[in-house]
Amino acid sequence: MAFESLSDKLQKVFKNLRGKGRLTEDDVKAALKEVKMALLEADVSFKVVKDFIKSVQERAVGQDVLESLTPGQMVIKIVNEEMVKLMGSETTELKVNSSGMTVIMMMGLQGAGKTTTVAKIAGKLKAKGKRPLLVACDIYRPAAIEQLKVNGEKQQVPVFAMGTSHKPVNIAKAAIEHAAKNDNNVIIIDTAGRLQVDEAMMDELVEIRDNITIDQTILVVDAMTGQDAVNVASVFDEKVGIDGVIITKLDGDTRGGAALSIRAVTGKPVLYVGMGEKLSDLEQFYPDRMASRILGMGDVLSLIEKAEAAVDEQKAKEMSQKLKKAEFDFNDYLEYMGQIKNMGGLSEIMNMIPGMGNQLKGVDMPDEKQLARVEAIIYSMTLKERTNPSILNPSRKHRIARGAGVDISEVNRLVKQFEQARKLMKQLPGMMGGKRGGKMGRMRFPF
């Protein structure tokens, strides 16, 4: 889970601050020392951490804070504001010309997920009414061109390729001519990466940049590489120039140092973050929402947007009614698990709800790989058992286990998970309540 380690440590610091009725300057300094260690352990740049702590401390030890009725909350508020500022304050959009053609050059090292990200960006632009064309200029990595074609086909976006015998700059030039003839108004160039920065790669990127008109140069970096990602961004900006950064694999990075350092070190905005392998798992980067997630304050707006995109309104209303009447059964559970999966998984959702992240710990919910086994167990139940879970006695469970080809322990685990899910869903009665005015209506959360 993104920022999990950092978030846990910061929440412990803040819990101690809230527990004190009055704060002294020494209390604040001690707390900020712990915040500093947490940020350094999250692989945030030392200089960035030093400047961040200095800014927070200058504001937090003032008379207005220390003598307020809730000094702990005031310090947390300052940390939140400074963290938002650290990551860029304003959300930055990928710039696309309102008329004419836009050429975007995507860059990055091998393994950062650049080619997949190219297709993800194309899907987002297509959804906004643009007509993108993907250009295969990675002529070195085995199967890079084929990977781009497969992803382009999934997004229903055309791919321009000339094989591996032409120079990337000539492929890019030909692609622009092709786009002009075929009414494509956004050209996204997938350039070659290397395992590490080298002069040949930089020279090739500079040659493309200098011979065609590039509107945006976007760097893709891997969150899992921490400070290395920040160093890579600095080198690319110095050698080629970058307009923005996309951070991939943030869902698997428990530290988050790259996301917190890149803007401060390079001065370049983070445009998107990759939160999964699916082509839909690319999220707009909102500094304020990300700071809120890191500090354990949730991210209700992103949750609403995910729900609107993933949840069928009519089915959501029906499920909400069943929950209110305690009629939620195993048929609904299958539907519920499908919706949760579409929204990124239960842990992702719970961490977006203020005060709910910690309640997830210890709750054993099935992941995507387990879902097929869950379905097999539920389909081995009779219609009566599915609609009335309370009748599942030991003999019925043994029969179900035999029918699904699983051990009885898996059936017992599913029944337990079902009861936990029912309890959790009852705590979110408004989440599935339909839309109103473009947002999920009647959102009610347990805080």
Side-chain angles (χ1 to χ4, degrees):
M1 180 58 62
F3 299 107
E4 185 176 3
S5 178
L6 174 60
S7 184
D8 285 347
K9 288 171 184 173
L10 292 179
Q11 286 182 59
K12 285 178 184 176
V13 175
F14 296 152
K15 186 177 180 181
N16 291 335
L17 278 179
R18 289 192 189 100
K20 297 188 177 186
R22 308 291 292 179
L23 289 182
T24 65
E25 188 170 324
D26 287 341
D27 289 331
V28 173
K29 288 181 178 179
L32 291 182
K33 187 176 181 181
E34 291 184 54
V35 171
K36 178 180 179 180
M37 291 305 300
L39 291 170
L40 289 173
E41 287 172 15
D43 210 15
V44 180
S45 159
F46 177 77
K47 184 179 184 304
V48 171
V49 173
K50 183 181 176 183
D51 293 344
F52 175 79
I53 296 298
K54 182 182 177 183
S55 297
V56 173
Q57 187 168 306
E58 285 177 354
R59 294 180 59 190
V61 297
Q63 190 174 0
D64 291 344
V65 173
L66 298 181
E67 294 184 3
S68 70
L69 293 175
T70 56
Q73 293 282 44
M74 291 284 283
V75 173
I76 295 166
K77 180 174 180 287
I78 291 168
V79 171
N80 181 59
E81 290 171 354
E82 291 297 324
M83 193 167 281
V84 172
K85 190 186 297 183
L86 180 69
M87 291 188 286
S89 296
E90 299 295 326
T91 300
T92 305
E93 297 276 354
L94 178 65
K95 293 178 182 176
V96 178
N97 299 328
S98 56
S99 60
M101 191 180 292
T102 302
V103 180
I104 301 169
M105 183 165 72
M106 302 287 283
M107 310 178 294
L109 297 184
Q110 272 186 28
K114 173 172 51 60
T115 299
T116 303
T117 302
V118 165
K120 289 180 177 181
I121 290 291
K124 284 192 171 293
L125 292 173
K126 185 182 177 186
K128 293 180 179 179
K130 298 297 180 180
R131 299 178 298 280
L133 174 71
L134 306 184
V135 183
C137 282
D138 184 350
I139 61 173
Y140 309 105
R141 182 169 63 87
I145 296 174
E146 186 59 30
Q147 182 189 355
L148 190 65
K149 287 180 178 178
V150 169
N151 285 337
E153 188 174 337
K154 287 179 182 176
Q155 298 283 51
Q156 296 183 315
V157 171
V159 174
F160 182 86
M162 292 171 61
T164 59
S165 58
H166 297 270
K167 289 182 66 176
V169 65
N170 293 333
I171 296 172
K173 287 179 179 178
I176 290 175
E177 292 179 12
H178 176 86
K181 293 175 184 175
N182 291 273
D183 201 30
N184 298 110
N185 55 12
V186 180
I187 316 301
I188 308 176
I189 303 172
D190 181 29
T191 63
R194 299 286 194 280
L195 292 175
Q196 58 189 22
V197 174
D198 67 24
E199 289 302 318
M201 175 177 64
M202 291 301 178
D203 290 345
E204 189 173 280
L205 293 171
V206 169
E207 185 179 20
I208 295 173
R209 181 199 68 189
D210 290 347
N211 282 276
I212 63 174
T213 302
I214 303 287
D215 296 287
Q216 291 271 282
T217 51
I218 308 300
L219 179 68
V220 179
V221 296
D222 180 351
M224 305 287 283
T225 60
Q227 270 308 292
D228 284 344
V230 181
N231 297 335
V232 165
S234 297
V235 173
F236 269 86
D237 190 37
E238 179 188 342
K239 300 285 187 180
V240 187
I242 59 176
D243 296 306
V245 180
I246 295 174
I247 302 176
T248 61
K249 307 178 190 178
L250 195 62
D251 56 313
D253 180 29
T254 62
R255 298 174 304 169
L260 284 163
S261 301
I262 279 181
R263 177 61 185 250
V265 173
T266 67
K268 306 301 179 181
V270 177
L271 304 174
Y272 294 97
V273 289
M275 298 299 287
E277 295 179 2
K278 292 185 290 188
L279 290 177
S280 57
D281 293 336
L282 189 70
E283 297 181 6
Q284 182 86 48
F285 185 76
Y286 297 94
D288 54 343
R289 299 188 194 182
M290 192 60 71
S292 188
R293 282 197 218 183
I294 294 169
L295 301 181
M297 300 174 183
D299 182 359
V300 174
L301 289 176
S302 291
L303 176 58
I304 292 170
E305 289 169 3
K306 277 180 175 284
E308 288 186 333
V311 178
D312 180 275
E313 183 177 357
Q314 186 56 41
K315 287 181 179 178
K317 287 180 179 178
E318 291 170 3
M319 193 176 294
S320 179
Q321 291 301 315
K322 287 189 175 187
L323 282 168
K324 288 175 184 176
K325 296 176 182 178
E327 295 175 352
F328 186 70
D329 60 26
F330 274 108
N331 292 313
D332 300 311
Y333 184 64
L334 278 178
E335 180 71 34
Y336 156 69
M337 290 308 300
Q339 292 181 349
I340 292 296
K341 185 171 68 173
N342 289 339
M343 291 171 67
L346 185 60
S347 59
E348 179 77 14
I349 293 170
M350 296 301 282
N351 280 297
M352 289 183 179
I353 303 171
M356 288 293 283
N358 289 332
Q359 293 191 32
L360 188 64
K361 292 176 181 176
V363 176
D364 183 23
M365 294 298 291
D367 58 24
E368 224 172 306
K369 292 179 181 178
Q370 293 172 296
L371 196 54
R373 295 171 75 85
V374 170
E375 288 178 345
I377 294 171
I378 294 176
Y379 288 137
S380 293
M381 298 176 185
T382 64
L383 181 60
K384 188 176 181 181
E385 288 165 345
R386 273 187 250 167
T387 54
N388 189 11
S390 61
I391 68 172
L392 290 175
N393 56 28
S395 64
R396 288 177 181 269
K397 290 177 182 177
H398 275 286
R399 193 205 76 250
I400 292 165
R402 288 193 301 272
V406 300
D407 189 83
I408 183 66
S409 62
E410 292 203 45
V411 178
N412 287 327
R413 189 183 304 123
L414 173 60
V415 173
K416 182 182 177 182
Q417 290 169 346
F418 170 76
E419 292 300 332
Q420 289 173 332
R422 185 148 60 173
K423 287 177 184 176
L424 287 169
M425 291 299 287
K426 281 181 179 178
Q427 292 184 62
L428 303 174
M431 181 178 153
M432 301 297 198
K435 302 176 189 175
R436 182 178 62 203
K439 294 293 179 188
M440 291 292 288
R442 302 188 299 284
M443 289 289 286
R444 297 192 295 278
F445 295 98
F447 57 89

